[in-house]
Coordinates of all heavy atoms in Angstrom, one line a residue:
Chain A
E138 N 32.1 112.2 98.2 CA 31.0 112.7 99.0 C 30.1 113.6 98.2 O 28.8 113.5 98.2 CB 31.4 113.4 100.3 CG 32.1 112.5 101.3 CD 32.6 113.3 102.5 OE1 31.9 114.2 102.9 OE2 33.8 113.0 102.9
A139 N 30.7 114.6 97.6 CA 30.0 115.6 96.9 C 29.1 114.9 95.7 O 28.0 115.3 95.5 CB 30.9 116.6 96.3
I140 N 29.7 113.9 95.1 CA 29.0 113.2 94.1 C 27.7 112.5 94.7 O 26.6 112.6 94.2 CB 29.9 112.1 93.4 CG1 30.9 112.8 92.5 CG2 29.0 111.1 92.6 CD1 32.0 111.9 92.0
R141 N 28.0 111.9 95.9 CA 26.8 111.2 96.5 C 25.7 112.2 96.9 O 24.6 111.9 96.8 CB 27.3 110.5 97.8 CG 27.8 109.1 97.6 CD 27.9 108.3 98.8 NE 28.9 108.9 99.8 CZ 30.2 108.6 99.8 NH1 30.7 107.9 98.8 NH2 31.0 109.1 100.7
E142 N 26.2 113.5 97.2 CA 25.2 114.5 97.5 C 24.6 115.2 96.2 O 23.9 116.1 96.3 CB 25.9 115.6 98.4 CG 26.3 115.1 99.7 CD 27.2 116.1 100.4 OE1 27.1 117.3 100.1 OE2 28.0 115.7 101.3
G143 N 25.1 114.7 95.1 CA 24.6 115.3 93.8 C 25.1 116.7 93.6 O 24.5 117.4 92.8
K144 N 26.2 117.0 94.1 CA 26.7 118.4 94.0 C 27.7 118.5 92.8 O 28.1 119.6 92.4 CB 27.4 118.8 95.2 CG 26.5 118.8 96.5 CD 26.0 120.2 96.8 CE 25.3 120.3 98.1 NZ 26.1 120.0 99.3
V145 N 28.2 117.3 92.4 CA 29.2 117.3 91.4 C 28.9 116.4 90.2 O 28.3 115.3 90.5 CB 30.6 116.9 92.0 CG1 31.6 116.5 91.0 CG2 31.1 118.1 92.9
R146 N 29.4 116.7 89.1 CA 29.0 115.9 87.9 C 29.6 114.5 88.1 O 30.7 114.3 88.6 CB 29.5 116.5 86.6 CG 30.9 117.0 86.6 CD 31.1 117.9 85.3 NE 31.0 117.1 84.1 CZ 31.3 117.6 82.9 NH1 31.6 118.9 82.7 NH2 31.2 116.9 81.8
T147 N 28.9 113.5 87.5 CA 29.2 112.1 87.7 C 30.0 111.5 86.6 O 30.4 110.4 86.6 CB 28.0 111.3 88.0 OG1 27.1 111.5 86.9 CG2 27.3 111.8 89.3
D148 N 30.1 112.2 85.5 CA 30.7 111.6 84.3 C 32.2 111.7 84.2 O 32.8 111.3 83.3 CB 30.0 112.2 83.0 CG 30.3 113.7 83.0 OD1 30.5 114.3 84.0 OD2 30.2 114.3 81.8
V149 N 32.7 112.3 85.3 CA 34.2 112.4 85.3 C 34.7 111.8 86.6 O 34.1 112.1 87.7 CB 34.7 113.9 85.4 CG1 36.2 114.0 85.4 CG2 34.2 114.6 84.1
P150 N 35.6 110.8 86.5 CA 36.0 110.1 87.7 C 36.5 111.1 88.8 O 37.2 112.1 88.4 CB 37.2 109.3 87.3 CG 37.0 109.2 85.8 CD 36.3 110.4 85.3
P151 N 36.1 110.9 90.0 CA 36.5 111.9 91.1 C 38.0 112.1 91.2 O 38.5 113.2 91.5 CB 36.0 111.3 92.4 CG 35.7 109.9 92.0 CD 35.4 109.8 90.6
E152 N 38.8 111.1 90.9 CA 40.2 111.3 90.9 C 40.7 112.3 89.9 O 41.6 113.1 90.1 CB 40.9 109.9 90.6 CG 42.1 109.7 91.5 CD 42.7 108.3 91.2 OE1 42.5 107.8 90.0 OE2 43.4 107.8 92.1
L153 N 40.1 112.2 88.7 CA 40.4 113.1 87.7 C 40.0 114.5 88.1 O 40.7 115.5 87.8 CB 39.7 112.7 86.4 CG 40.3 113.1 85.0 CD1 41.8 112.8 85.1 CD2 39.7 112.3 83.9
L154 N 38.9 114.6 88.8 CA 38.4 115.9 89.2 C 39.5 116.5 90.2 O 39.8 117.7 90.1 CB 37.1 115.8 90.0 CG 35.9 115.5 89.1 CD1 34.6 115.3 89.9 CD2 35.7 116.7 88.1
A155 N 39.9 115.7 91.1 CA 40.9 116.1 92.1 C 42.2 116.6 91.4 O 42.7 117.7 91.7 CB 41.3 115.0 93.0
G156 N 42.7 115.8 90.4 CA 43.9 116.2 89.7 C 43.6 117.5 88.9 O 44.5 118.4 88.9
S157 N 42.5 117.7 88.3 CA 42.1 118.9 87.5 C 42.0 120.1 88.4 O 42.5 121.2 88.1 CB 40.8 118.7 86.8 OG 40.9 117.5 86.0
L158 N 41.4 119.9 89.6 CA 41.3 121.0 90.5 C 42.7 121.5 90.9 O 43.0 122.7 90.9 CB 40.6 120.5 91.8 CG 40.5 121.6 92.9 CD1 39.4 122.6 92.6 CD2 40.3 120.9 94.3
L159 N 43.5 120.6 91.3 CA 44.9 120.9 91.7 C 45.6 121.7 90.6 O 46.3 122.7 90.8 CB 45.7 119.7 92.1 CG 46.1 119.5 93.5 CD1 45.2 120.2 94.5 CD2 46.3 118.1 93.9
G160 N 45.5 121.1 89.4 CA 46.2 121.7 88.2 C 45.6 123.1 87.9 O 46.4 124.0 87.8
M161 N 44.3 123.2 87.9 CA 43.7 124.5 87.6 C 44.1 125.5 88.6 O 44.5 126.7 88.3 CB 42.2 124.5 87.5 CG 41.6 125.8 87.1 SD 39.8 125.8 87.3 CE 39.3 125.4 85.6
F162 N 44.2 125.1 89.9 CA 44.5 126.0 90.9 C 46.0 126.5 90.8 O 46.3 127.6 91.0 CB 44.4 125.3 92.3 CG 44.8 126.2 93.4 CD1 44.1 127.3 93.7 CD2 45.8 125.8 94.3 CE1 44.4 128.2 94.7 CE2 46.2 126.6 95.3 CZ 45.5 127.8 95.6
H163 N 46.8 125.6 90.3 CA 48.2 125.9 90.1 C 48.3 127.0 89.0 O 49.0 128.0 89.2 CB 49.0 124.7 89.6 CG 50.4 124.8 89.6 ND1 51.2 125.2 90.7 CD2 51.3 124.6 88.6 CE1 52.4 125.3 90.4 NE2 52.6 124.9 89.1
G164 N 47.5 126.8 88.0 CA 47.6 127.9 86.9 C 46.9 129.2 87.3 O 47.4 130.3 87.0
Y165 N 45.8 129.0 88.1 CA 45.0 130.2 88.5 C 45.8 131.0 89.5 O 45.9 132.2 89.4 CB 43.7 129.7 89.1 CG 42.8 130.8 89.5 CD1 41.8 131.2 88.6 CD2 42.8 131.4 90.8 CE1 40.8 132.2 89.0 CE2 41.9 132.4 91.1 CZ 40.9 132.8 90.3 OH 40.0 133.7 90.6

Side-chain angles (χ1 to χ4, degrees):
Chain A
E138 291 176 39
I140 285 170
R141 275 197 294 278
E142 295 170 23
K144 301 257 187 67
V145 163
R146 47 192 295 185
T147 58
D148 60 337
V149 181
E152 219 177 27
L153 207 43
L154 288 176
S157 301
L158 176 79
L159 243 32
M161 182 187 268
F162 179 61
H163 191 54
Y165 184 93

